[in-house]
Amino acid sequence: MSGELDALRNEAETLRKKIREARMAVNDTTLSDVAQPTQTVGRISLRTRKTLRGHLAKIYAMHWASDSRNLVSASQDGKLIVWDAYTTNKVHAIPLRSSWVMTCALRTKEGNVRVSKELQGHNGYLSSCRFLDDSQILTSSGDMVCSLWDTETGQAIVNFVGHTGDVMSISLGPDHTSFVSGACDSSAKLWDIRSGACRQTFTGHESDINAVTFFPNGQAFATGSDDSTCRLFDIRADQELMLYSSEMIVVGITSVAFSKSGRLLLAGYDDFNCNVWDTLKGERVGVLTGHDNRVSCLGVTEDGLAVATGSWDSFLKIWN
């Protein structure tokens, strides 16, 4: 039995080597070289415009609504709060059965807020969730599975199985037919929502991937990892295009988001800062400082005019 396992491991390693060689064979240039003639963006300086106060414990997640005004946050104080970012008022405060909330998503703010359905099926903690529409939601879990749910029936429609570690983050493609997931197996996977199949697997990180986000055009995505790096992967080229790191940064990354154009990549770090990277050049062009604990989540509005960061210091900050 052990001999068969060793043979299979060797075969898998041989296949991985062939894949790496095939990728290198078509890797005829680098993003840095192609972007050389492109003008630099200069120093990015964003200011704190609003501070949202109301949570009594660590904030773990936030998500903007499509109106670019309202956002939802989840905290260890056991509450979801929907905020009006213009006025800093709380629109809704929703008590939860458990204080261990790792993710949240906001589809609409209209009408009364109540628990309409509980979705049960995962065998581990829920790490991320995103609505496809009013009747479908996508989730990822510590049970190494992602699931698509019907919110009307409460049943799982499709289970996406393939990761060998806790799935920490998902990002929905602009066309809502695919999504990308990042996991503690140090890999990111691209999934077809319609078929439930894994289309591509991307490797390169040396530790857990905590965050993933699609590039605005849907042809690439970025990842953030405990190995202190962010990476840009191109779906068409099937490989890594850029590495975002600094010798001065030796902490993990919790969250990532692109600007509306995709030229800037924002990443939240364990050292209380949010760094801004030039996507094309791979250079750090700005730092958002002001939180007094880990930046656990961040998001850019759909109109691209503001950034929100959430932190273990219990505050949310709006920047532009």
Side-chain angles (χ1 to χ4, degrees), residues 186 204-211 222-233 240 242-247 249-256 265 267-269 275 277:
S186 305
H205 279 294
E206 297 170 2
S207 189
D208 302 355
I209 295 176
N210 297 319
T223 55
S225 168
D226 276 342
D227 65 11
S228 305
T229 70
C230 295
R231 297 171 193 248
L232 178 68
F233 294 94
E240 181 184 313
M242 185 67 78
L243 175 73
Y244 308 94
S245 67
S246 168
E247 291 181 357
I249 300 174
V250 293
V251 296
I253 293 142
T254 62
S255 44
V256 287
L265 175 65
Y269 289 75
N275 289 307
W277 300 91

PDB file of all heavy atoms in Angstrom, residues 186 204-211 222-233 240 242-247 249-256 265 267-269 275 277:
ATOM      1  N   SER A 186      -2.583  26.793   0.298  1.00  0.00           N
ATOM      2  CA  SER A 186      -1.711  27.725  -0.439  1.00  0.00           C
ATOM      3  C   SER A 186      -2.065  27.837  -1.916  1.00  0.00           C
ATOM      4  O   SER A 186      -1.256  28.328  -2.710  1.00  0.00           O
ATOM      5  CB  SER A 186      -0.227  27.333  -0.300  1.00  0.00           C
ATOM      6  OG  SER A 186       0.147  27.227   1.060  1.00  0.00           O
ATOM      7  N   GLY A 204       1.852  29.060  -5.888  1.00  0.00           N
ATOM      8  CA  GLY A 204       2.951  30.015  -5.801  1.00  0.00           C
ATOM      9  C   GLY A 204       3.139  30.543  -4.392  1.00  0.00           C
ATOM     10  O   GLY A 204       4.268  30.794  -3.961  1.00  0.00           O
ATOM     11  N   HIS A 205       2.040  30.705  -3.666  1.00  0.00           N
ATOM     12  CA  HIS A 205       2.148  31.162  -2.284  1.00  0.00           C
ATOM     13  C   HIS A 205       2.798  30.093  -1.413  1.00  0.00           C
ATOM     14  O   HIS A 205       2.715  28.886  -1.699  1.00  0.00           O
ATOM     15  CB  HIS A 205       0.768  31.518  -1.719  1.00  0.00           C
ATOM     16  CG  HIS A 205       0.292  32.881  -2.109  1.00  0.00           C
ATOM     17  ND1 HIS A 205       0.911  34.026  -1.674  1.00  0.00           N
ATOM     18  CD2 HIS A 205      -0.752  33.285  -2.892  1.00  0.00           C
ATOM     19  CE1 HIS A 205       0.266  35.075  -2.163  1.00  0.00           C
ATOM     20  NE2 HIS A 205      -0.735  34.647  -2.910  1.00  0.00           N
ATOM     21  N   GLU A 206       3.444  30.535  -0.347  1.00  0.00           N
ATOM     22  CA  GLU A 206       4.163  29.636   0.553  1.00  0.00           C
ATOM     23  C   GLU A 206       3.443  29.447   1.882  1.00  0.00           C
ATOM     24  O   GLU A 206       3.972  28.813   2.793  1.00  0.00           O
ATOM     25  CB  GLU A 206       5.579  30.167   0.784  1.00  0.00           C
ATOM     26  CG  GLU A 206       6.398  30.215  -0.504  1.00  0.00           C
ATOM     27  CD  GLU A 206       7.701  30.956  -0.340  1.00  0.00           C
ATOM     28  OE1 GLU A 206       7.987  31.401   0.812  1.00  0.00           O
ATOM     29  OE2 GLU A 206       8.432  31.104  -1.329  1.00  0.00           O
ATOM     30  N   SER A 207       2.236  30.015   1.988  1.00  0.00           N
ATOM     31  CA  SER A 207       1.451  29.859   3.213  1.00  0.00           C
ATOM     32  C   SER A 207      -0.023  30.055   2.873  1.00  0.00           C
ATOM     33  O   SER A 207      -0.394  30.165   1.704  1.00  0.00           O
ATOM     34  CB  SER A 207       1.912  30.864   4.279  1.00  0.00           C
ATOM     35  OG  SER A 207       1.302  30.585   5.526  1.00  0.00           O
ATOM     36  N   ASP A 208      -0.863  30.103   3.910  1.00  0.00           N
ATOM     37  CA  ASP A 208      -2.312  30.217   3.726  1.00  0.00           C
ATOM     38  C   ASP A 208      -2.672  31.438   2.886  1.00  0.00           C
ATOM     39  O   ASP A 208      -2.120  32.528   3.079  1.00  0.00           O
ATOM     40  CB  ASP A 208      -3.017  30.352   5.076  1.00  0.00           C
ATOM     41  CG  ASP A 208      -2.749  29.187   6.013  1.00  0.00           C
ATOM     42  OD1 ASP A 208      -2.087  28.220   5.586  1.00  0.00           O
ATOM     43  OD2 ASP A 208      -3.205  29.259   7.163  1.00  0.00           O
ATOM     44  N   ILE A 209      -3.625  31.268   1.975  1.00  0.00           N
ATOM     45  CA  ILE A 209      -4.210  32.400   1.250  1.00  0.00           C
ATOM     46  C   ILE A 209      -5.444  32.849   2.026  1.00  0.00           C
ATOM     47  O   ILE A 209      -6.390  32.085   2.205  1.00  0.00           O
ATOM     48  CB  ILE A 209      -4.586  32.010  -0.191  1.00  0.00           C
ATOM     49  CG1 ILE A 209      -3.323  31.666  -0.993  1.00  0.00           C
ATOM     50  CG2 ILE A 209      -5.356  33.142  -0.865  1.00  0.00           C
ATOM     51  CD1 ILE A 209      -3.599  31.181  -2.404  1.00  0.00           C
ATOM     52  N   ASN A 210      -5.401  34.086   2.514  1.00  0.00           N
ATOM     53  CA  ASN A 210      -6.489  34.603   3.343  1.00  0.00           C
ATOM     54  C   ASN A 210      -7.521  35.408   2.564  1.00  0.00           C
ATOM     55  O   ASN A 210      -8.644  35.608   3.046  1.00  0.00           O
ATOM     56  CB  ASN A 210      -5.921  35.494   4.454  1.00  0.00           C
ATOM     57  CG  ASN A 210      -5.028  34.735   5.403  1.00  0.00           C
ATOM     58  OD1 ASN A 210      -5.332  33.614   5.778  1.00  0.00           O
ATOM     59  ND2 ASN A 210      -3.911  35.343   5.788  1.00  0.00           N
ATOM     60  N   ALA A 211      -7.140  35.902   1.383  1.00  0.00           N
ATOM     61  CA  ALA A 211      -8.029  36.798   0.657  1.00  0.00           C
ATOM     62  C   ALA A 211      -7.815  36.668  -0.845  1.00  0.00           C
ATOM     63  O   ALA A 211      -6.693  36.474  -1.304  1.00  0.00           O
ATOM     64  CB  ALA A 211      -7.795  38.241   1.093  1.00  0.00           C
ATOM     65  N   ALA A 222      -6.319  38.813  -7.690  1.00  0.00           N
ATOM     66  CA  ALA A 222      -5.224  39.002  -6.747  1.00  0.00           C
ATOM     67  C   ALA A 222      -5.483  38.172  -5.494  1.00  0.00           C
ATOM     68  O   ALA A 222      -6.627  37.880  -5.147  1.00  0.00           O
ATOM     69  CB  ALA A 222      -5.068  40.471  -6.375  1.00  0.00           C
ATOM     70  N   THR A 223      -4.387  37.804  -4.833  1.00  0.00           N
ATOM     71  CA  THR A 223      -4.462  37.029  -3.593  1.00  0.00           C
ATOM     72  C   THR A 223      -3.617  37.698  -2.521  1.00  0.00           C
ATOM     73  O   THR A 223      -2.647  38.392  -2.817  1.00  0.00           O
ATOM     74  CB  THR A 223      -3.935  35.597  -3.816  1.00  0.00           C
ATOM     75  OG1 THR A 223      -2.599  35.676  -4.351  1.00  0.00           O
ATOM     76  CG2 THR A 223      -4.816  34.829  -4.783  1.00  0.00           C
ATOM     77  N   GLY A 224      -3.978  37.471  -1.265  1.00  0.00           N
ATOM     78  CA  GLY A 224      -3.195  37.933  -0.129  1.00  0.00           C
ATOM     79  C   GLY A 224      -2.963  36.770   0.817  1.00  0.00           C
ATOM     80  O   GLY A 224      -3.890  35.994   1.077  1.00  0.00           O
ATOM     81  N   SER A 225      -1.737  36.643   1.331  1.00  0.00           N
ATOM     82  CA  SER A 225      -1.374  35.430   2.064  1.00  0.00           C
ATOM     83  C   SER A 225      -0.628  35.738   3.357  1.00  0.00           C
ATOM     84  O   SER A 225      -0.100  36.834   3.564  1.00  0.00           O
ATOM     85  CB  SER A 225      -0.502  34.546   1.152  1.00  0.00           C
ATOM     86  OG  SER A 225       0.114  33.501   1.865  1.00  0.00           O
ATOM     87  N   ASP A 226      -0.565  34.707   4.201  1.00  0.00           N
ATOM     88  CA  ASP A 226       0.243  34.788   5.422  1.00  0.00           C
ATOM     89  C   ASP A 226       1.736  34.809   5.123  1.00  0.00           C
ATOM     90  O   ASP A 226       2.544  35.015   6.036  1.00  0.00           O
ATOM     91  CB  ASP A 226      -0.070  33.586   6.336  1.00  0.00           C
ATOM     92  CG  ASP A 226      -1.302  33.817   7.200  1.00  0.00           C
ATOM     93  OD1 ASP A 226      -1.704  34.988   7.348  1.00  0.00           O
ATOM     94  OD2 ASP A 226      -1.858  32.843   7.725  1.00  0.00           O
ATOM     95  N   ASP A 227       2.139  34.579   3.859  1.00  0.00           N
ATOM     96  CA  ASP A 227       3.562  34.639   3.513  1.00  0.00           C
ATOM     97  C   ASP A 227       4.031  36.077   3.259  1.00  0.00           C
ATOM     98  O   ASP A 227       5.129  36.304   2.747  1.00  0.00           O
ATOM     99  CB  ASP A 227       3.884  33.745   2.307  1.00  0.00           C
ATOM    100  CG  ASP A 227       3.197  34.203   1.018  1.00  0.00           C
ATOM    101  OD1 ASP A 227       2.640  35.309   0.992  1.00  0.00           O
ATOM    102  OD2 ASP A 227       3.222  33.428   0.038  1.00  0.00           O
ATOM    103  N   SER A 228       3.186  37.062   3.604  1.00  0.00           N
ATOM    104  CA  SER A 228       3.490  38.503   3.509  1.00  0.00           C
ATOM    105  C   SER A 228       3.494  39.027   2.082  1.00  0.00           C
ATOM    106  O   SER A 228       4.014  40.121   1.824  1.00  0.00           O
ATOM    107  CB  SER A 228       4.841  38.837   4.168  1.00  0.00           C
ATOM    108  OG  SER A 228       4.881  38.384   5.502  1.00  0.00           O
ATOM    109  N   THR A 229       2.941  38.280   1.143  1.00  0.00           N
ATOM    110  CA  THR A 229       2.905  38.739  -0.238  1.00  0.00           C
ATOM    111  C   THR A 229       1.479  38.771  -0.780  1.00  0.00           C
ATOM    112  O   THR A 229       0.614  38.004  -0.347  1.00  0.00           O
ATOM    113  CB  THR A 229       3.739  37.837  -1.177  1.00  0.00           C
ATOM    114  OG1 THR A 229       3.083  36.563  -1.322  1.00  0.00           O
ATOM    115  CG2 THR A 229       5.144  37.628  -0.637  1.00  0.00           C
ATOM    116  N   CYS A 230       1.268  39.674  -1.727  1.00  0.00           N
ATOM    117  CA  CYS A 230       0.096  39.628  -2.594  1.00  0.00           C
ATOM    118  C   CYS A 230       0.596  39.205  -3.970  1.00  0.00           C
ATOM    119  O   CYS A 230       1.736  39.484  -4.339  1.00  0.00           O
ATOM    120  CB  CYS A 230      -0.568  41.002  -2.706  1.00  0.00           C
ATOM    121  SG  CYS A 230      -1.266  41.636  -1.184  1.00  0.00           S
ATOM    122  N   ARG A 231      -0.245  38.532  -4.716  1.00  0.00           N
ATOM    123  CA  ARG A 231       0.134  38.083  -6.058  1.00  0.00           C
ATOM    124  C   ARG A 231      -1.009  38.323  -7.025  1.00  0.00           C
ATOM    125  O   ARG A 231      -2.177  38.261  -6.648  1.00  0.00           O
ATOM    126  CB  ARG A 231       0.532  36.598  -6.050  1.00  0.00           C
ATOM    127  CG  ARG A 231       1.770  36.329  -5.188  1.00  0.00           C
ATOM    128  CD  ARG A 231       2.041  34.850  -5.004  1.00  0.00           C
ATOM    129  NE  ARG A 231       3.015  34.619  -3.939  1.00  0.00           N
ATOM    130  CZ  ARG A 231       4.255  34.152  -4.129  1.00  0.00           C
ATOM    131  NH1 ARG A 231       4.666  33.840  -5.346  1.00  0.00           N
ATOM    132  NH2 ARG A 231       5.074  33.989  -3.109  1.00  0.00           N
ATOM    133  N   LEU A 232      -0.626  38.609  -8.275  1.00  0.00           N
ATOM    134  CA  LEU A 232      -1.594  38.790  -9.348  1.00  0.00           C
ATOM    135  C   LEU A 232      -1.496  37.605 -10.295  1.00  0.00           C
ATOM    136  O   LEU A 232      -0.418  37.299 -10.811  1.00  0.00           O
ATOM    137  CB  LEU A 232      -1.307  40.094 -10.110  1.00  0.00           C
ATOM    138  CG  LEU A 232      -2.216  40.406 -11.304  1.00  0.00           C
ATOM    139  CD1 LEU A 232      -3.647  40.703 -10.828  1.00  0.00           C
ATOM    140  CD2 LEU A 232      -1.671  41.587 -12.101  1.00  0.00           C
ATOM    141  N   PHE A 233      -2.616  36.928 -10.505  1.00  0.00           N
ATOM    142  CA  PHE A 233      -2.672  35.772 -11.406  1.00  0.00           C
ATOM    143  C   PHE A 233      -3.552  36.111 -12.605  1.00  0.00           C
ATOM    144  O   PHE A 233      -4.637  36.676 -12.433  1.00  0.00           O
ATOM    145  CB  PHE A 233      -3.241  34.548 -10.686  1.00  0.00           C
ATOM    146  CG  PHE A 233      -2.369  34.025  -9.584  1.00  0.00           C
ATOM    147  CD1 PHE A 233      -2.558  34.437  -8.267  1.00  0.00           C
ATOM    148  CD2 PHE A 233      -1.356  33.110  -9.845  1.00  0.00           C
ATOM    149  CE1 PHE A 233      -1.762  33.953  -7.239  1.00  0.00           C
ATOM    150  CE2 PHE A 233      -0.555  32.610  -8.826  1.00  0.00           C
ATOM    151  CZ  PHE A 233      -0.752  33.030  -7.520  1.00  0.00           C
ATOM    152  N   GLU A 240       1.141  33.258 -12.635  1.00  0.00           N
ATOM    153  CA  GLU A 240       1.363  34.469 -11.846  1.00  0.00           C
ATOM    154  C   GLU A 240       2.014  35.548 -12.699  1.00  0.00           C
ATOM    155  O   GLU A 240       2.964  35.292 -13.429  1.00  0.00           O
ATOM    156  CB  GLU A 240       2.263  34.120 -10.658  1.00  0.00           C
ATOM    157  CG  GLU A 240       2.568  35.270  -9.727  1.00  0.00           C
ATOM    158  CD  GLU A 240       3.540  34.869  -8.630  1.00  0.00           C
ATOM    159  OE1 GLU A 240       3.333  33.794  -8.018  1.00  0.00           O
ATOM    160  OE2 GLU A 240       4.506  35.608  -8.384  1.00  0.00           O
ATOM    161  N   MET A 242       2.524  38.989 -11.212  1.00  0.00           N
ATOM    162  CA  MET A 242       3.233  39.968 -10.388  1.00  0.00           C
ATOM    163  C   MET A 242       3.197  39.567  -8.918  1.00  0.00           C
ATOM    164  O   MET A 242       2.225  38.965  -8.456  1.00  0.00           O
ATOM    165  CB  MET A 242       2.607  41.354 -10.564  1.00  0.00           C
ATOM    166  CG  MET A 242       3.321  42.479  -9.842  1.00  0.00           C
ATOM    167  SD  MET A 242       4.969  42.844 -10.497  1.00  0.00           S
ATOM    168  CE  MET A 242       4.515  43.773 -11.963  1.00  0.00           C
ATOM    169  N   LEU A 243       4.276  39.914  -8.230  1.00  0.00           N
ATOM    170  CA  LEU A 243       4.399  39.689  -6.787  1.00  0.00           C
ATOM    171  C   LEU A 243       4.515  41.039  -6.102  1.00  0.00           C
ATOM    172  O   LEU A 243       5.313  41.888  -6.515  1.00  0.00           O
ATOM    173  CB  LEU A 243       5.644  38.840  -6.506  1.00  0.00           C
ATOM    174  CG  LEU A 243       6.028  38.595  -5.044  1.00  0.00           C
ATOM    175  CD1 LEU A 243       5.052  37.621  -4.408  1.00  0.00           C
ATOM    176  CD2 LEU A 243       7.446  38.054  -4.952  1.00  0.00           C
ATOM    177  N   TYR A 244       3.704  41.265  -5.083  1.00  0.00           N
ATOM    178  CA  TYR A 244       3.714  42.532  -4.349  1.00  0.00           C
ATOM    179  C   TYR A 244       4.229  42.270  -2.937  1.00  0.00           C
ATOM    180  O   TYR A 244       3.522  41.664  -2.121  1.00  0.00           O
ATOM    181  CB  TYR A 244       2.308  43.137  -4.313  1.00  0.00           C
ATOM    182  CG  TYR A 244       1.672  43.249  -5.678  1.00  0.00           C
ATOM    183  CD1 TYR A 244       0.832  42.232  -6.152  1.00  0.00           C
ATOM    184  CD2 TYR A 244       1.920  44.339  -6.496  1.00  0.00           C
ATOM    185  CE1 TYR A 244       0.254  42.320  -7.405  1.00  0.00           C
ATOM    186  CE2 TYR A 244       1.342  44.435  -7.763  1.00  0.00           C
ATOM    187  CZ  TYR A 244       0.520  43.420  -8.206  1.00  0.00           C
ATOM    188  OH  TYR A 244      -0.052  43.492  -9.454  1.00  0.00           O
ATOM    189  N   SER A 245       5.454  42.699  -2.679  1.00  0.00           N
ATOM    190  CA  SER A 245       6.047  42.452  -1.364  1.00  0.00           C
ATOM    191  C   SER A 245       7.139  43.478  -1.094  1.00  0.00           C
ATOM    192  O   SER A 245       7.583  44.194  -2.004  1.00  0.00           O
ATOM    193  CB  SER A 245       6.629  41.038  -1.283  1.00  0.00           C
ATOM    194  OG  SER A 245       7.734  40.911  -2.158  1.00  0.00           O
ATOM    195  N   SER A 246       7.560  43.528   0.157  1.00  0.00           N
ATOM    196  CA  SER A 246       8.639  44.422   0.572  1.00  0.00           C
ATOM    197  C   SER A 246       9.409  43.764   1.700  1.00  0.00           C
ATOM    198  O   SER A 246       8.824  43.042   2.517  1.00  0.00           O
ATOM    199  CB  SER A 246       8.063  45.769   1.044  1.00  0.00           C
ATOM    200  OG  SER A 246       9.033  46.547   1.706  1.00  0.00           O
ATOM    201  N   GLU A 247      10.714  43.991   1.727  1.00  0.00           N
ATOM    202  CA  GLU A 247      11.525  43.447   2.814  1.00  0.00           C
ATOM    203  C   GLU A 247      11.090  44.004   4.160  1.00  0.00           C
ATOM    204  O   GLU A 247      11.320  43.384   5.198  1.00  0.00           O
ATOM    205  CB  GLU A 247      13.005  43.772   2.568  1.00  0.00           C
ATOM    206  CG  GLU A 247      13.609  43.026   1.380  1.00  0.00           C
ATOM    207  CD  GLU A 247      15.078  43.353   1.190  1.00  0.00           C
ATOM    208  OE1 GLU A 247      15.596  44.200   1.961  1.00  0.00           O
ATOM    209  OE2 GLU A 247      15.705  42.775   0.287  1.00  0.00           O
ATOM    210  N   ILE A 249       8.014  44.412   5.073  1.00  0.00           N
ATOM    211  CA  ILE A 249       6.737  43.815   5.465  1.00  0.00           C
ATOM    212  C   ILE A 249       6.941  42.334   5.759  1.00  0.00           C
ATOM    213  O   ILE A 249       7.288  41.553   4.872  1.00  0.00           O
ATOM    214  CB  ILE A 249       5.686  43.979   4.352  1.00  0.00           C
ATOM    215  CG1 ILE A 249       5.458  45.460   4.058  1.00  0.00           C
ATOM    216  CG2 ILE A 249       4.374  43.312   4.765  1.00  0.00           C
ATOM    217  CD1 ILE A 249       4.547  45.717   2.871  1.00  0.00           C
ATOM    218  N   VAL A 250       6.736  41.965   7.012  1.00  0.00           N
ATOM    219  CA  VAL A 250       6.944  40.566   7.422  1.00  0.00           C
ATOM    220  C   VAL A 250       5.721  40.019   8.149  1.00  0.00           C
ATOM    221  O   VAL A 250       5.821  39.085   8.936  1.00  0.00           O
ATOM    222  CB  VAL A 250       8.205  40.434   8.311  1.00  0.00           C
ATOM    223  CG1 VAL A 250       9.461  40.718   7.518  1.00  0.00           C
ATOM    224  CG2 VAL A 250       8.107  41.355   9.527  1.00  0.00           C
ATOM    225  N   VAL A 251       4.542  40.607   7.849  1.00  0.00           N
ATOM    226  CA  VAL A 251       3.308  40.171   8.492  1.00  0.00           C
ATOM    227  C   VAL A 251       2.339  39.661   7.434  1.00  0.00           C
ATOM    228  O   VAL A 251       2.516  39.888   6.235  1.00  0.00           O
ATOM    229  CB  VAL A 251       2.654  41.318   9.296  1.00  0.00           C
ATOM    230  CG1 VAL A 251       3.549  41.750  10.439  1.00  0.00           C
ATOM    231  CG2 VAL A 251       2.331  42.502   8.383  1.00  0.00           C
ATOM    232  N   GLY A 252       1.298  38.983   7.894  1.00  0.00           N
ATOM    233  CA  GLY A 252       0.319  38.412   6.982  1.00  0.00           C
ATOM    234  C   GLY A 252      -0.650  39.436   6.432  1.00  0.00           C
ATOM    235  O   GLY A 252      -0.794  40.544   6.959  1.00  0.00           O
ATOM    236  N   ILE A 253      -1.309  39.043   5.351  1.00  0.00           N
ATOM    237  CA  ILE A 253      -2.304  39.884   4.689  1.00  0.00           C
ATOM    238  C   ILE A 253      -3.685  39.283   4.945  1.00  0.00           C
ATOM    239  O   ILE A 253      -3.886  38.078   4.808  1.00  0.00           O
ATOM    240  CB  ILE A 253      -2.026  39.976   3.178  1.00  0.00           C
ATOM    241  CG1 ILE A 253      -0.720  40.733   2.950  1.00  0.00           C
ATOM    242  CG2 ILE A 253      -3.159  40.657   2.438  1.00  0.00           C
ATOM    243  CD1 ILE A 253       0.124  40.210   1.850  1.00  0.00           C
ATOM    244  N   THR A 254      -4.626  40.136   5.308  1.00  0.00           N
ATOM    245  CA  THR A 254      -5.965  39.676   5.679  1.00  0.00           C
ATOM    246  C   THR A 254      -7.001  39.912   4.597  1.00  0.00           C
ATOM    247  O   THR A 254      -8.013  39.214   4.545  1.00  0.00           O
ATOM    248  CB  THR A 254      -6.443  40.401   6.938  1.00  0.00           C
ATOM    249  OG1 THR A 254      -6.525  41.818   6.645  1.00  0.00           O
ATOM    250  CG2 THR A 254      -5.486  40.196   8.107  1.00  0.00           C
ATOM    251  N   SER A 255      -6.769  40.926   3.736  1.00  0.00           N
ATOM    252  CA  SER A 255      -7.806  41.338   2.802  1.00  0.00           C
ATOM    253  C   SER A 255      -7.189  42.074   1.621  1.00  0.00           C
ATOM    254  O   SER A 255      -6.147  42.729   1.767  1.00  0.00           O
ATOM    255  CB  SER A 255      -8.821  42.251   3.512  1.00  0.00           C
ATOM    256  OG  SER A 255      -8.149  43.202   4.330  1.00  0.00           O
ATOM    257  N   VAL A 256      -7.830  41.965   0.460  1.00  0.00           N
ATOM    258  CA  VAL A 256      -7.343  42.641  -0.748  1.00  0.00           C
ATOM    259  C   VAL A 256      -8.532  43.177  -1.548  1.00  0.00           C
ATOM    260  O   VAL A 256      -9.628  42.613  -1.514  1.00  0.00           O
ATOM    261  CB  VAL A 256      -6.507  41.701  -1.650  1.00  0.00           C
ATOM    262  CG1 VAL A 256      -5.146  41.432  -1.052  1.00  0.00           C
ATOM    263  CG2 VAL A 256      -7.242  40.395  -1.929  1.00  0.00           C
ATOM    264  N   LEU A 265      -3.952  48.199  -6.160  1.00  0.00           N
ATOM    265  CA  LEU A 265      -4.342  47.060  -5.323  1.00  0.00           C
ATOM    266  C   LEU A 265      -4.162  47.465  -3.870  1.00  0.00           C
ATOM    267  O   LEU A 265      -3.056  47.858  -3.465  1.00  0.00           O
ATOM    268  CB  LEU A 265      -3.481  45.836  -5.647  1.00  0.00           C
ATOM    269  CG  LEU A 265      -3.695  44.607  -4.752  1.00  0.00           C
ATOM    270  CD1 LEU A 265      -5.101  44.054  -4.922  1.00  0.00           C
ATOM    271  CD2 LEU A 265      -2.654  43.525  -5.053  1.00  0.00           C
ATOM    272  N   ALA A 267      -4.347  46.377   0.169  1.00  0.00           N
ATOM    273  CA  ALA A 267      -4.240  45.164   0.977  1.00  0.00           C
ATOM    274  C   ALA A 267      -4.149  45.532   2.456  1.00  0.00           C
ATOM    275  O   ALA A 267      -3.406  46.437   2.843  1.00  0.00           O
ATOM    276  CB  ALA A 267      -3.007  44.357   0.559  1.00  0.00           C
ATOM    277  N   GLY A 268      -4.941  44.817   3.284  1.00  0.00           N
ATOM    278  CA  GLY A 268      -4.920  45.016   4.730  1.00  0.00           C
ATOM    279  C   GLY A 268      -3.939  44.049   5.381  1.00  0.00           C
ATOM    280  O   GLY A 268      -3.874  42.877   4.996  1.00  0.00           O
ATOM    281  N   TYR A 269      -3.196  44.531   6.367  1.00  0.00           N
ATOM    282  CA  TYR A 269      -2.104  43.766   6.970  1.00  0.00           C
ATOM    283  C   TYR A 269      -2.284  43.630   8.486  1.00  0.00           C
ATOM    284  O   TYR A 269      -2.991  44.415   9.118  1.00  0.00           O
ATOM    285  CB  TYR A 269      -0.756  44.447   6.689  1.00  0.00           C
ATOM    286  CG  TYR A 269      -0.309  44.346   5.244  1.00  0.00           C
ATOM    287  CD1 TYR A 269      -0.897  45.127   4.266  1.00  0.00           C
ATOM    288  CD2 TYR A 269       0.703  43.468   4.862  1.00  0.00           C
ATOM    289  CE1 TYR A 269      -0.495  45.038   2.940  1.00  0.00           C
ATOM    290  CE2 TYR A 269       1.112  43.377   3.539  1.00  0.00           C
ATOM    291  CZ  TYR A 269       0.511  44.166   2.591  1.00  0.00           C
ATOM    292  OH  TYR A 269       0.917  44.072   1.284  1.00  0.00           O
ATOM    293  N   ASN A 275      -1.729  48.798   2.798  1.00  0.00           N
ATOM    294  CA  ASN A 275      -0.783  49.253   1.777  1.00  0.00           C
ATOM    295  C   ASN A 275      -1.459  49.332   0.423  1.00  0.00           C
ATOM    296  O   ASN A 275      -2.337  48.530   0.093  1.00  0.00           O
ATOM    297  CB  ASN A 275       0.420  48.305   1.695  1.00  0.00           C
ATOM    298  CG  ASN A 275       1.323  48.428   2.905  1.00  0.00           C
ATOM    299  OD1 ASN A 275       1.758  49.521   3.256  1.00  0.00           O
ATOM    300  ND2 ASN A 275       1.607  47.317   3.555  1.00  0.00           N
ATOM    301  N   TRP A 277      -0.707  49.301  -3.640  1.00  0.00           N
ATOM    302  CA  TRP A 277       0.294  48.873  -4.621  1.00  0.00           C
ATOM    303  C   TRP A 277      -0.117  49.302  -6.022  1.00  0.00           C
ATOM    304  O   TRP A 277      -1.299  49.307  -6.359  1.00  0.00           O
ATOM    305  CB  TRP A 277       0.436  47.347  -4.597  1.00  0.00           C
ATOM    306  CG  TRP A 277       0.859  46.781  -3.273  1.00  0.00           C
ATOM    307  CD1 TRP A 277       0.039  46.361  -2.260  1.00  0.00           C
ATOM    308  CD2 TRP A 277       2.190  46.572  -2.800  1.00  0.00           C
ATOM    309  NE1 TRP A 277       0.779  45.908  -1.199  1.00  0.00           N
ATOM    310  CE2 TRP A 277       2.104  46.023  -1.500  1.00  0.00           C
ATOM    311  CE3 TRP A 277       3.456  46.796  -3.359  1.00  0.00           C
ATOM    312  CZ2 TRP A 277       3.233  45.702  -0.747  1.00  0.00           C
ATOM    313  CZ3 TRP A 277       4.583  46.473  -2.619  1.00  0.00           C
ATOM    314  CH2 TRP A 277       4.463  45.928  -1.323  1.00  0.00           C
TER     315      TRP A 277
END
